[in-house]
Amino acid sequence: MSVLAETAAPARAAAWYWIPRAVLFGLLAFIIFGPLVNLLLWTVTEKWYFPHALPLEYGFSYWGRVFSPRGNAMGSLGTSALVACLTVFLSLLLAIPAGYALARLRLPFRSLILLALLVPNAFPNLPIYVNIARLFYQIGLNGTILGVVLVHTTHGLVYAVWIATAAFGAIEPELEEAARSSGASAFRAFRDVMLPLAAPGLMASAIFVFLESLDEFTGTFFVGAPDVTTLPLLLYTSAAGGNYQIASITALILLVPSIAFMFVVERFLRADVLANIGR
Amino acid sequence: MRRYLPGLLLVSPALAIIVFLFLVPLAGAVTGAFQDADGGFSFGNFIKTYQLYSNDILFTIVIVALSALLTAALSVAIAGYLTLGTSPAAVAILRWLYRWPLFIPFIVVGQILRTFLAKNGLMNNIFVATGLITPLHTVGFLDWRGIVIAFVWKQTPFVTLLLAGAMASIDRGTVEAARNLGASRLRILLEIVLPQAAPTLMVALTLSIVTMMSVLSVPLMIASQSPTVITVDMAFRINAYGDYGVANALGLISLVLTGAVAWIYLRQTMRENAR
């Protein structure tokens, strides 16, 4: 009897501990998920006005409007996907040679070069975009896909190069040397040994750059608008026009890849690569 | 020089992008700020900026400083609990919970908080429905408070992630020693763990301040009426008037403000390293 009471008392104390924790976690969950639930509600709302706490009618009619072939959302989705894919392509084209050189070859001022790539993300970029827009206007790049891709690439380049450098740096140098000493050319050793081994890290950098491009607003706002309308710009114009359903559905389309990435990022970025970033 | 050639060749395309799409426009921002309409040197843009936007500049500093302080306080609390929490289940729940806003794009943050915090938004609706307040007493937060809430909501997970990483890698021996001597967890956090993780906190906060100074979408969507932050003013100067002079002057001011933050941080670390 007394043994039972002795074990029950600490258990009861531990249970009491959960009350302040539960209150705090509940509050935190409300702060984090409240706005997200609100977004989900707006995407399926047909009718919702003050002072009703919840929508009066639910339905998917706005989804039909967003995804109709003539709707401008499909056009924006296409533009966003095209811009993001081209940005990934251009970034990797620049980052793979640069990352290899930074990880493996002799370079003067190596840490300065790594730092130089970070600089565009270490200053407020709005004044920069304003002046890029002015330069692009003079050479006819304003309002073109290429102009927007170039702006997104500048912004994403630090992730691409830093992660590529870390990915190449995490490969044992002996593997490349073995390929070279068994007669492979430098290019062949790179293509058949280094590139496949660095692939998961490069994949992670590609996803980073893709998401940065997909979510980018400010640069597109100055360089692309009104000719290049990506999803963030469509979100902004529909929200400014008071069309909360279209804005919320667009926001949800942008949200899904970002949340999905949060759960898989650790699979692509192995700890040994992660520890190498910025070195 | 010869032995560096292959490496330099491979790095140069990436560096060219930085030069042409960052350094050249940066130079354009600096020179543009000091040019009058005819291209001559003048301080006219700054005088005009001061007359029109001195309130907004002050407003920006207050908003960013307040957001940074709140972000720091929340991050220290969350990262501290993740490091010193005794219940594995509670730590796991918190770890799962806190990082959701991390990857949510700013434009989406602007949209969801705009609908959530409005006078007739879901937050007030819930408060009314649960009887906490009456419909007459609802207050919209779509002004400076909305901007601060959006910045803190979005930046806290980022700072927490870096800070929790730094706290996890400090020497556990001192923590265990203090715990054996009977120090409370709050005291251990503030007097032992936080000082060791402070450099990381400062880096994360500096990066957050740069982000907050750059973001256009959140203030544009939550509170674009006057008074507002200078990013909105810059966009307005260009879209409404094509006035690059004043926009560049404001841009230079935002660059100098973040530069000042970075300089304070660098001086602090140098002083600590010299000690």
Side-chain angles (χ1 to χ4, degrees):
Chain A
M1 189 65 194
S2 66
V3 176
L4 220 125
E6 268 162 31
T7 48
R12 208 175 298 139
W16 278 109
Y17 261 137
W18 276 96
I19 291 175
R21 273 181 205 151
V23 170
L24 275 177
F25 288 169
L27 197 67
L28 198 62
F30 175 73
I31 293 167
I32 290 172
F33 292 118
L36 289 170
V37 169
N38 195 20
L39 173 85
L40 290 178
L41 281 176
W42 267 111
T43 62
V44 291
T45 293
E46 298 287 324
K47 210 156 80 182
W48 189 359
Y49 47 80
F50 195 67
H52 297 280
L54 290 172
L56 295 168
E57 277 175 39
Y58 296 92
F60 285 92
S61 73
Y62 285 91
W63 284 82
R65 226 191 284 175
V66 166
F67 286 104
S68 76
R70 283 169 292 112
N72 43 9
M74 284 313 272
S76 297
L77 186 61
T79 310
S80 269
L82 178 67
V83 167
C85 288
L86 287 174
T87 304
V88 168
F89 178 75
L90 184 60
S91 299
L92 286 184
L93 204 65
L94 296 164
I96 290 175
Y100 178 77
L102 285 163
R104 280 285 184 267
L105 302 179
R106 285 168 188 278
L107 270 179
F109 315 116
R110 185 178 168 276
S111 47
L112 205 66
I113 293 173
L114 274 175
L115 199 66
L117 292 159
L118 179 70
V119 164
N121 294 41
F123 284 98
N125 45 26
L126 204 137
I128 307 297
Y129 290 146
V130 166
N131 287 280
I132 289 182
R134 211 178 181 189
L135 285 174
F136 278 6
Y137 194 71
Q138 288 162 0
I139 53 175
L141 271 176
N142 233 26
T144 64
I145 298 276
L146 179 64
V148 175
V149 168
L150 282 172
V151 168
H152 288 190
T153 303
T154 315
H155 187 69
L157 203 56
V158 62
Y159 304 103
V161 176
W162 279 32
I163 299 175
T165 307
F168 285 121
I171 299 171
E172 300 286 331
E174 290 81 22
L175 289 170
E176 196 186 13
E177 281 156 21
R180 291 302 302 276
S181 61
S182 51
S185 68
F187 177 70
R188 184 109 195 265
F190 173 76
R191 194 193 63 188
D192 292 350
V193 177
M194 295 295 277
L195 211 51
L197 284 173
L202 295 176
M203 191 65 204
S205 81
I207 298 176
F208 254 107
V209 172
F210 186 89
L211 285 180
E212 280 291 322
S213 168
L214 196 66
D215 303 339
E216 211 282 338
F217 174 77
T218 317
T220 323
F221 184 77
F222 284 107
V223 174
D227 304 301
V228 181
T229 315
T230 55
L231 282 176
L233 287 189
L234 175 74
L235 202 176
Y236 172 65
T237 44
S238 10
N243 198 333
Y244 281 7
Q245 282 91 342
I246 303 280
S248 297
I249 294 170
T250 317
L252 189 64
I253 298 173
L254 285 173
L255 203 57
V256 169
S258 310
I259 299 277
F261 179 61
M262 185 180 83
F263 286 106
V264 299
V265 65
E266 275 146 2
R267 198 163 304 163
F268 284 105
L269 270 183
R270 298 195 321 268
D272 56 334
V273 174
L274 205 58
N276 250 333
I277 287 174
R279 288 204 187 149
Chain B
M1 196 62 217
R2 196 91 181 262
R3 59 197 180 130
Y4 291 138
L5 199 63
L8 284 176
L9 269 179
L10 292 177
V11 173
S12 56
L15 287 181
I17 288 274
I18 302 297
V19 170
F20 287 110
L21 293 175
F22 179 75
L23 290 180
V24 171
L26 179 67
V30 176
T31 53
F34 291 101
Q35 266 170 4
D36 58 20
D38 308 320
F41 177 88
S42 91
F43 286 105
N45 295 323
F46 286 95
I47 294 166
K48 204 165 159 192
T49 302
Y50 179 76
Q51 285 164 350
L52 290 172
Y53 297 118
S54 52
N55 272 336
D56 283 1
I57 293 170
L58 206 65
F59 189 72
T60 307
I61 296 174
V62 171
I63 281 191
V64 170
L66 184 63
S67 306
L69 276 178
L70 289 173
T71 305
L74 282 171
S75 305
V76 168
I78 299 175
Y81 193 80
L82 289 177
T83 316
L84 300 173
T86 44
S87 155
V91 169
I93 292 173
L94 189 60
R95 195 182 299 281
W96 180 83
L97 199 57
Y98 89 89
R99 49 163 112 176
W100 278 82
L102 185 62
F103 286 106
I104 296 178
F106 266 109
I107 181 89
V108 176
V109 173
Q111 167 64 19
I112 63 178
L113 286 180
R114 180 182 142 114
T115 48
F116 187 69
L117 297 174
K119 194 168 162 54
N120 53 358
L122 187 67
M123 185 183 72
N124 279 326
N125 289 351
I126 290 173
F127 288 163
V128 170
T130 50
L132 278 173
I133 48 175
T134 65
L136 285 174
H137 290 96
T138 56
V139 184
F141 284 94
L142 298 186
D143 47 24
W144 64 272
R145 290 168 297 187
I147 301 180
V148 171
I149 292 171
F151 282 163
V152 174
W153 196 84
K154 166 78 178 145
Q155 290 300 316
T156 300
F158 169 72
V159 177
T160 306
L161 186 75
L162 296 183
L163 189 60
M167 283 182 176
S169 64
I170 64 165
D171 179 20
R172 296 295 291 192
T174 48
V175 174
E176 294 306 325
R179 197 172 271 171
N180 291 340
L181 289 172
S184 71
R185 275 190 288 170
L186 185 67
R187 217 172 138 203
I188 296 176
L189 174 64
L190 295 180
E191 289 179 13
I192 294 173
V193 176
L194 191 57
Q196 293 186 62
T200 306
L201 178 64
M202 295 315 286
V203 172
L205 282 181
T206 312
L207 290 174
S208 284
I209 288 172
V210 170
T211 308
M212 293 182 222
M213 296 287 291
S214 314
V215 172
L216 174 65
S217 50
V218 163
L220 212 51
M221 292 187 84
I222 288 182
S224 57
Q225 311 86 352
S226 182
T228 187
V229 291
I230 54 179
T231 44
V232 176
D233 294 331
M234 275 186 258
F236 177 73
R237 262 350 265 187
I238 286 163
N239 289 340
Y241 297 109
D243 182 357
Y244 283 88
V246 170
N248 276 327
L250 281 168
L252 200 60
I253 289 167
S254 82
L255 287 171
V256 168
L257 287 176
T258 38
V261 173
W263 185 71
I264 292 169
Y265 159 69
L266 277 177
R267 214 182 56 163
Q268 192 70 29
T269 37
M270 298 233 274
R271 202 179 282 167
E272 268 162 26
N273 287 344
R275 223 183 264 164

